[in-house]
Amino acid sequence: MDPRIADAFKNLPTDAPDQWPLFAQIKATPMLVIRGGLSDLLSAATVARMAREKQDLWHITVANRGHTPLLNEPECLAAIDAFVARHAAELQGE
């Protein structure tokens, strides 16, 4: 991982467009958010708002990981397996 990956986001203009209307447009899409607990790009507050805006949002935070967990952590594998299993069943009409 590049430790300076977040540098590009540090001096964003304060008048950046509001992304929440875009999020509202995809609320019908099943989503799983996997956040690294040490992420400086996706805050816990943002994930909390996502969960408030989308009541069926699946989300986990992986401790001691940066923005992008490796996805081989046991909690990631369990969340991905459960998410896929649930939504595969829905697609098959079960």
Side-chain angles (χ1 to χ4, degrees):
M1 166 186 138
D2 180 353
R4 296 180 353 170
I5 196 167
D7 289 354
F9 296 92
K10 289 183 179 173
N11 296 312
L12 290 176
T14 56
D15 62 343
D18 182 8
Q19 300 296 314
W20 291 109
L22 295 174
F23 183 73
Q25 291 180 17
I26 61 170
K27 284 192 336 189
T29 302
M31 289 183 221
L32 168 63
V33 175
I34 300 176
R35 176 184 175 272
L38 303 176
S39 177
D40 53 359
L41 296 178
L42 179 58
S43 71
T46 297
V47 175
R49 179 166 177 188
M50 291 171 78
R52 284 192 309 274
E53 301 275 333
K54 180 173 174 46
Q55 298 293 312
D56 63 344
L57 181 79
W58 289 37
H59 59 94
I60 65 167
T61 296
V62 183
N64 302 312
R65 292 289 188 258
H67 176 63
T68 309
L70 299 175
L71 303 181
N72 65 356
E73 299 88 352
E75 61 267 49
C76 289
L77 294 172
I80 293 167
D81 286 347
F83 182 82
V84 169
R86 174 176 180 175
H87 294 289
E90 289 174 4
L91 289 173
Q92 294 172 359
E94 295 179 13

